[in-house]
Structures are given as C-alpha cells and as structure tokens.
Amino acid sequence: MKKSVTSKDVAKEAGVSRATVSYVLNDVKKVKIKPETREKVMAAARKLNYHPHSIARALKTDKSMSIGVVSRRNIAEDRFSIVLRGIKDALKEDKYSITLCSDEEDLNGNREYINYYLAKRIDGVILLSAEEVLSRYDIKKLTSRNLPNVLVDYHLKDEKLNTIDIDYFHGGYIATRFLVEQGYDKIIYFAPAISIPQEEERLKGVRTAISEFDSKVIKFKEVISGQTGNKYMDSITYMLKNKDDYTAVIISWVDAAYKALAEASKLNISVPEDLAVISLAGTHYADLSYPKLSTCDLPLYDIGYESGKLLINKIKMDTQNDIELVQKSLSCFLNPREST
Amino acid sequence: MKKSVTSKDVAKEAGVSRATVSYVLNDVKKVKIKPETREKVMAAARKLNYHPHSIARALKTDKSMSIGVVSRRNIAEDRFSIVLRGIKDALKEDKYSITLCSDEEDLNGNREYINYYLAKRIDGVILLSAEEVLSRYDIKKLTSRNLPNVLVDYHLKDEKLNTIDIDYFHGGYIATRFLVEQGYDKIIYFAPAISIPQEEERLKGVRTAISEFDSKVIKFKEVISGQTGNKYMDSITYMLKNKDDYTAVIISWVDAAYKALAEASKLNISVPEDLAVISLAGTHYADLSYPKLSTCDLPLYDIGYESGKLLINKIKMDTQNDIELVQKSLSCFLNPREST
DNA sequence: TTGAAAGCGCTAACAT
DNA sequence: ATGTTAGCGCTTTCAA
C-alpha cells in the first residue's frame, strides 16, 4: 500500500501551512490568498498529484457528498437506468455521488436506506416508486429523522413531501386528443384493474379529452383488464375480439400494447387500418414491432434530473429553514409511429 | 441538527471505555469480553439507538466499504439493472455498498472512477462493458495504481486481468444445436458487421455446432448485416427476402430478431413454419411478440453476482499477495418459445 | 494574509 | 479482560 499524498505533504512542498492548502484548494471565499501563494500551492498539488481524501473531509464537514437512490424491489427494468442517468447528470455539478440503496429491512426491521443515513453514508435520499405503496410508517421515518428526501412518481399529493411526479393525466389527455385529431371517433380505453393514482390520473386524462372533444367522438368505452398472468392476456384478447366497430384503442401499459399488437395479428385485425393502437408509456422496442407502436412517452430522464437537483437543494437548505415544499409534475410527450 | 450518538456516549452509558464498545460492537475475535460486559454494551447501544459512524470508521481503517460500478456511456438499457441487482446481492453479506461511477473524464482527463478511488470513496471497481473497447491506457491506469478491479464482459483474455465473461461461444453453440435437434437442417446465421470478441465467439460457437452436426445440416450460410440505421434494417429485409429454402435463422442481436419478426410478418413469411427464428440474447419482450421469440439468454444476474463476489475477494486479498488471476465465463441458457 | 491547533468519531496498539 | 491514547486527513476558529 503506497502511502498517499496528504495536504500536509502539499503544505511542506509549497512551504506553507496545511490551512493555506485547504483555503486554496477549496477556493474559500472569505479568505484572501496572495496570488503567488496560491500558485505555489497549486503547483505543489499538481506536482505531488494530490487528491483530497474525501472521507476525511466528510468526517470533518459531516457531509458524505453522496445521496442514496432507492429502488424498491420489483423495479421496472428499463426505466431504472434512464432515471438513474438523469439523477447522475443532475448531481455532477455539485459533485455528489450516487449510492445505490435497497429498501430491504435488516434483522431489526430497519430499512437499508435509513441505516445508510444514520451511518452518515448518505446525505439524502431519492425514492423511486415501483407500483408499490409507501407505507405511512415509512413516510414518518423519513420525515421524523429529517432525512432530506424526494419521492419520485409516488403521487402522494396529500402528504407534505417533496415530490417529482409524472403527469399521467396529461399523458392520457394528449394521447386521446391525438387520436381524435387523427380522425378516430370510436375509441376504447384499455387499462389494468389496479387502483393506483397513476392509473386513475390517466383515466381522468382520457375522459377529459373525450368529453372535451365530445362532438368528434361517436363512441367511447373503457375496458378493464386483469392485472397479471392469464387474466391479463385473456382480457387483451377479449377486448380485441369485442372491438366491434371501434377504430382505436388507448392502452395504458406498454406490455399490454405489445401483446395487443401480437394478438391483433393473430386475429387478423390490421393495425392501424382496423384498429389504431397507442400506449401510454414508451419503450426502446416501439421501433421494432410491426407496425411500429405509437406511444406517449414518460419523461424518465427528466424526473431523474429534476429529483436530483431538488434533493441537492433540500440538502443545502437543510441548515436553514426548510419550509417550502416542491411538488412538480412533468409532462409526457407523444411519439406517433405506425400503429396510429 | 440533532447531535448524534457516538461510541463515547455508549461507553459512558455502559460504564466502560470506548475501546470496549468498539470491541463488542465489531465482535473483535482476538479480544475476550466478559459476557456481562458485552451485554451491558449491547443494552446501552440499543437504548441510545447508536449507529456507528461509517465515515469515521472508513477514515480510520482506510476502507470506504463501497465499490464503484462503472457503466460506460452507451450502456444497454435493460441489461444494466439486472446486472446491478446481481452485484448488489453479492455485496450484501460483506456490507459493501455500490457507488455509481461513470467513465467520463474531468478537466484534467482523469476518469471519474479513478478519481473516486484516489479520493478513497471506493475500494475497488467493477467495469461493465458496453460494446466499447477499453483502451490500453485505461487498463494501465487500472493496474498501475493497483486499484482492485474486475472487468465484466470485456473478453480481454490476453491481458492479466480479473474477468467475468459471458460464454458467447456456448450460447451460439447451444442455440444452433437446439435448432438442429428440432430438425431444422437449412440454417442461416445473421450477425452484425462488427468485430468484437463477443460476436466472434458467437460465430465460432455456431460454426462449431454446425460442423459437429454436419450430417444433419444440409445448408448453412452466414449473413452479415449493417450495424446501424437503415443499413441495419435493410440487411434484415435482404436476408429475409433471400432466404430461399432455408428454414431457420439464428440472429445474434435481439433487436434484429425483433425486427426480423416484424419484417417476416410484412413479407408473409410465417414463423416458425416458413422460417424459425432464435436470438442469441434474451429480453423481457420475448413473451410479448407474435410469435413469442425463442431466445438464448445471457446470464446477466450471474455476471453481476460473480463479479461482486470476486471483487470483494480481491479487495480482501489486496494486503496479501495478489497473484492469482480469476477469469470466469458463464453459460447462456436456452429459452425456447414459439418462434422455433 | 497566513499559521497553529483542535477536533470530527472511530480503531487498535499498547498498557494495565 | 478492559482502559488509555494516538492518530487517520481534513476543515476552521482563533491568533498572529
């Protein structure tokens, strides 16, 4: 183990004190350094290839300069890395790093991310939703320990929490409006039988658009699918078989939209001629199907970026009065392809 | 900011010294603690809700208990999170955490993960490949600073490096053998025009199986596709249009396999009746296409898990003589669905 | 404008 | 079997 270069070494090399080295290297404003001294220090640091020991600094300043990103157990696969990249980019400027946390409980029933915080490994936490509810107990733990936090895509507007959400209402709305504008006038909305805020907002968005364009829409119906396994598949087939003279379907889950494309092909339903299909989430594979799937994409990168920036602000403000709440909702965007 | 509980507080509460607290809580073997003392300490810690300050410990022990996971720029989306989960699980037992690193260079041309290491934020690093070559320069940096590391899926067997690879040869081999066993005797191998070890191994695997089952294979040809954009698409269509009496195609990239399914549908080629399709990588979407895509899946979770375990071993051995090299290659596994 | 020195919370060598 | 204490590398108050 090669002994590493410390600020002491740099101080000696530059012929100054360790304090001065710290002042120079951290560019401390309230201390004036003679330009030539500054230069000496810089030169010495460069010569010795000095790297500040971030652990020592963290101990002194009581800031780990790392934030926890918590992915709950059944995290959606491809979404995750996109959101992560957004967070990473947001952290760059302030030189925070990301520590990956789970929400698993240890032997004493404490969640990993809480433990990391108590052990001072992280300064704050971003919680990513995963179709799972955050219990009131967890929320309490979060706030009572005043752990700086932001909740991403949880849609818990009633709580006093910093949140970055996806505007699912808007997604449902623009997808529907798009269909109407394209001339589709008999529309089905196909959604899973699950009562989470995300799906409720989508439904409201769709309904709002439908009623708004009332004069242009002849028929509209809602079909609720099973959630998983065979039920899920079956309800897609059922919906397709009973499409009657409906000309377009909005499908909230992208997997279901894929499946619908496949089933339609089996049933000799041409897309989009017999039935247009649009899903309320995007995916890498949308370009690879036949026909290419039209989607209304989620702002995944953006929710990452925004939540990163927000959390850093919260951490910085933590010493001051932390009164103001931030609750943002980011828009979805249309990506029409061949299926509409 | 509530003052946090330190080992000093616990010591006072238990009426012992801080050293004793440390001995008890860290379960130090070479020190004997009277059972009742131990109990007193435990009780005090529990009562005060003590959490060791991991930063302070890290400073003292010169171990951050975190490893860096480096995802290169254009990381494949859904692969990433699966590998990550494997790593996370591997780290659990030894209580290491994951710090996400990029390989971006700072103003001085130093890569982020190197800087994190020099700043003592991480004890070692796992590098995940992403169809990009690791330069000799980077390799040198890695080894010369003796930064504990393991390279995942880089296929750099000539170098003296710890590596966890995917056995692409085996993947190509079993996929081909499977086809032959199913009775397909006129086979196309469709691969991208890119000379990376991964694709070369796949090709060898396919060829090996073909020659091994020589008597059962009537025709075999290799079609090389364009890599990106239109060229890529065009070559898939071209391959399909010129399939002649070939009855099966092995496609190395899963995206291309998807595209092939879509194009086949357009061209009225029935899968698998007219042409069987199997891809040499898996994906979540394989179950959603029509027909469902047969795949030969990559051991993504496993390479994560194995690399995590390996890196921890390397870190632990670092003080001792670190002579032995570990180079593993993990097998792919068949997932036959409807397209074969 | 710069330096001396305390101290963050922990571990571990050494003393008892 | 347990206590004393030095010191990890840094920042920052206070003194010069």
Side-chain angles (χ1 to χ4, degrees):
Chain A
M1 184 69 70
K2 201 170 52 186
K3 221 185 121 277
S4 46
V5 182
T6 73
S7 69
K8 199 173 172 181
D9 300 323
V10 177
K12 193 183 295 174
E13 174 74 24
V16 300
S17 75
R18 305 172 62 212
T20 306
V21 172
S22 176
Y23 294 144
V24 171
L25 264 27
N26 292 326
D27 204 22
V28 177
K29 308 292 182 195
K30 50 180 188 175
V31 148
K32 299 239 169 294
I33 301 287
K34 221 193 300 177
E36 56 206 75
T37 310
R38 176 180 303 274
E39 204 36 66
K40 266 193 302 185
V41 172
M42 301 289 267
R46 222 174 301 124
K47 179 177 171 199
L48 299 179
N49 193 23
Y50 171 66
H51 286 259
H53 195 303
S54 60
I55 298 290
R57 173 182 290 161
L59 178 60
K60 182 65 190 178
T61 61
D62 203 31
K63 297 209 157 309
S64 71
M65 294 309 282
S66 185
I67 66 153
V69 174
V70 183
S71 66
R72 316 205 87 205
R73 267 176 291 278
N74 59 346
I75 187 119
E77 297 305 348
D78 34 353
R79 297 190 180 194
F80 184 49
S81 52
I82 302 177
V83 178
L84 263 188
R85 185 154 35 205
I87 299 175
K88 192 96 176 42
D89 287 349
L91 267 38
K92 198 170 173 179
E93 194 184 346
D94 295 274
K95 298 186 187 298
Y96 273 84
S97 65
I98 293 176
T99 297
L100 241 42
C101 306
S102 76
D103 68 336
E104 278 179 65
E105 295 180 349
D106 65 12
L107 304 166
N108 306 317
N110 301 317
R111 299 209 184 271
E112 186 183 73
Y113 63 90
I114 299 279
N115 285 335
Y116 278 5
Y117 177 66
L118 293 172
K120 306 280 186 181
R121 284 169 93 116
I122 56 175
D123 298 335
V125 91
I126 293 177
L127 291 179
L128 268 24
S129 85
E131 285 151 26
E132 235 179 271
V133 174
L134 197 64
S135 75
R136 199 149 297 273
Y137 179 73
D138 283 327
I139 293 175
K140 181 144 272 164
K141 281 239 169 174
L142 224 46
T143 50
S144 72
R145 300 181 187 278
N146 68 331
L147 196 182
N149 66 85
V150 4
L151 302 192
V152 176
D153 195 28
Y154 272 96
H155 295 257
L156 264 49
K157 289 246 168 53
D158 51 322
E159 312 288 342
K160 291 267 168 284
L161 294 162
N162 300 300
T163 56
I164 301 290
D165 285 324
I166 293 173
D167 191 347
Y168 289 101
F169 175 93
H170 177 254
Y173 179 84
I174 61 173
T176 310
R177 189 181 65 190
F178 171 75
L179 249 27
V180 174
E181 283 169 356
Q182 296 294 301
Y184 297 104
D185 52 13
K186 305 186 195 69
I187 298 173
I188 301 173
Y189 180 55
F190 182 84
I194 180 174
S195 69
I196 54 176
Q198 289 87 335
E199 292 301 329
E200 281 161 18
E201 290 178 29
R202 277 174 166 158
L203 177 58
K204 276 187 210 159
V206 172
R207 283 180 181 166
T208 301
I210 292 289
S211 67
E212 201 167 294
F213 298 99
D214 194 16
S215 59
K216 295 184 174 170
V217 179
I218 297 171
K219 294 170 77 174
F220 171 69
K221 75 169 172 183
E222 292 161 15
V223 179
I224 303 307
S225 85
Q227 270 186 60
T228 47
N230 288 335
K231 267 195 178 176
Y232 179 65
M233 306 299 198
D234 289 352
S235 49
I236 295 172
T237 312
Y238 178 86
M239 180 269 292
L240 255 16
K241 281 187 176 161
N242 295 277
K243 81 171 189 68
D244 302 331
D245 61 342
Y246 283 88
T247 52
V249 59
I250 300 160
I251 301 186
S252 84
W253 286 6
V254 66
D255 283 11
Y258 259 96
K259 196 68 207 166
L261 246 34
E263 292 291 306
S265 176
K266 263 192 226 173
L267 296 169
N268 269 315
I269 298 172
S270 316
V271 176
E273 293 78 7
D274 299 337
L275 187 70
V277 177
I278 190 167
S279 83
L280 296 186
T283 162
H284 164 62
Y285 283 94
D287 272 322
L288 301 171
S289 60
Y290 173 62
K292 292 177 186 168
L293 182 66
S294 296
T295 58
C296 183
D297 293 358
L298 273 20
L300 298 174
Y301 178 88
D302 296 335
I303 57 174
Y305 190 87
E306 293 283 333
S307 60
K309 285 294 185 196
L310 176 52
L311 182 58
I312 290 178
N313 273 337
K314 288 296 154 187
I315 291 172
K316 285 181 177 170
M317 289 203 298
D318 204 28
T319 36
Q320 310 164 27
N321 48 343
D322 191 8
I323 311 168
E324 52 188 327
L325 219 55
V326 176
Q327 305 197 141
K328 277 197 193 179
S329 188
L330 307 186
S331 295
C332 303
F333 46 95
L334 234 35
N335 216 328
R337 296 192 184 81
E338 298 169 354
S339 71
T340 50
Chain B
M1 183 68 69
K2 202 170 48 187
K3 220 184 121 278
S4 45
V5 182
T6 74
S7 69
K8 199 172 170 181
D9 300 324
V10 177
K12 194 183 295 175
E13 174 74 24
V16 299
S17 75
R18 307 174 61 214
T20 306
V21 173
S22 175
Y23 294 144
V24 171
L25 265 27
N26 293 326
D27 204 21
V28 177
K29 309 292 181 194
K30 50 181 189 173
V31 149
K32 300 239 168 294
I33 301 288
K34 221 191 301 176
E36 55 206 77
T37 311
R38 177 180 302 274
E39 204 36 68
K40 266 194 301 183
V41 172
M42 301 289 266
R46 222 174 302 123
K47 179 177 171 199
L48 299 179
N49 194 22
Y50 170 67
H51 285 259
H53 195 303
S54 61
I55 297 290
R57 173 184 290 160
L59 178 61
K60 179 66 190 177
T61 60
D62 203 32
K63 297 211 158 307
S64 71
M65 294 310 281
S66 184
I67 67 153
V69 173
V70 183
S71 67
R72 317 206 85 205
R73 266 175 291 281
N74 60 345
I75 188 119
E77 298 305 346
D78 33 354
R79 297 190 180 193
F80 184 48
S81 51
I82 303 176
V83 178
L84 264 188
R85 185 156 33 207
I87 298 175
K88 191 97 177 42
D89 287 350
L91 266 39
K92 198 169 174 179
E93 195 185 345
D94 295 274
K95 298 187 188 298
Y96 274 84
S97 65
I98 293 177
T99 298
L100 242 41
C101 306
S102 76
D103 68 336
E104 278 181 64
E105 295 180 349
D106 65 11
L107 304 166
N108 307 317
N110 301 316
R111 299 211 184 270
E112 186 181 74
Y113 62 90
I114 300 280
N115 284 335
Y116 278 4
Y117 178 66
L118 293 172
K120 307 280 186 181
R121 285 167 92 114
I122 56 175
D123 298 336
V125 90
I126 293 178
L127 291 179
L128 268 24
S129 86
E131 285 151 27
E132 235 179 273
V133 173
L134 198 64
S135 75
R136 198 148 298 271
Y137 179 73
D138 284 327
I139 294 175
K140 181 145 271 165
K141 281 237 170 177
L142 224 47
T143 50
S144 72
R145 300 182 187 277
N146 67 331
L147 195 182
N149 66 85
V150 6
L151 303 192
V152 177
D153 195 27
Y154 272 96
H155 294 256
L156 265 46
K157 289 246 167 55
D158 50 323
E159 312 287 343
K160 292 268 168 281
L161 295 162
N162 300 301
T163 57
I164 301 291
D165 285 324
I166 293 172
D167 191 347
Y168 289 101
F169 175 93
H170 177 254
Y173 178 85
I174 60 173
T176 309
R177 188 181 63 190
F178 171 74
L179 250 27
V180 173
E181 283 170 355
Q182 295 295 301
Y184 296 104
D185 53 12
K186 304 186 195 70
I187 298 173
I188 301 173
Y189 180 55
F190 182 83
I194 182 174
S195 68
I196 53 176
Q198 289 87 335
E199 291 302 329
E200 281 161 17
E201 289 178 31
R202 276 175 167 159
L203 177 57
K204 276 187 210 159
V206 172
R207 283 180 181 166
T208 300
I210 291 290
S211 68
E212 202 166 292
F213 299 99
D214 194 17
S215 60
K216 293 184 176 171
V217 179
I218 298 172
K219 292 170 79 176
F220 172 68
K221 76 170 171 182
E222 293 160 14
V223 179
I224 303 306
S225 84
Q227 269 187 60
T228 48
N230 288 335
K231 267 195 176 175
Y232 180 65
M233 307 299 197
D234 289 352
S235 49
I236 294 172
T237 313
Y238 178 86
M239 180 270 291
L240 253 17
K241 281 187 176 159
N242 294 277
K243 83 171 189 65
D244 301 333
D245 60 342
Y246 283 88
T247 51
V249 58
I250 300 159
I251 302 187
S252 83
W253 286 7
V254 68
D255 283 10
Y258 258 95
K259 196 68 207 168
L261 246 34
E263 293 291 306
S265 177
K266 264 192 226 174
L267 296 169
N268 270 313
I269 297 171
S270 318
V271 176
E273 294 77 6
D274 299 337
L275 187 71
V277 176
I278 189 168
S279 83
L280 297 186
T283 162
H284 164 62
Y285 285 94
D287 272 321
L288 301 172
S289 60
Y290 172 61
K292 292 177 187 168
L293 183 67
S294 295
T295 59
C296 183
D297 293 358
L298 273 21
L300 297 174
Y301 178 89
D302 295 335
I303 57 174
Y305 190 87
E306 292 284 331
S307 60
K309 285 294 185 196
L310 176 53
L311 181 58
I312 289 178
N313 272 337
K314 288 296 155 186
I315 291 171
K316 285 181 176 169
M317 288 202 298
D318 204 29
T319 35
Q320 308 164 28
N321 47 344
D322 190 8
I323 310 169
E324 53 188 327
L325 220 54
V326 175
Q327 306 196 141
K328 277 197 192 178
S329 187
L330 307 185
S331 295
C332 302
F333 46 96
L334 235 33
N335 215 329
R337 297 192 183 81
E338 299 169 353
S339 70
T340 49

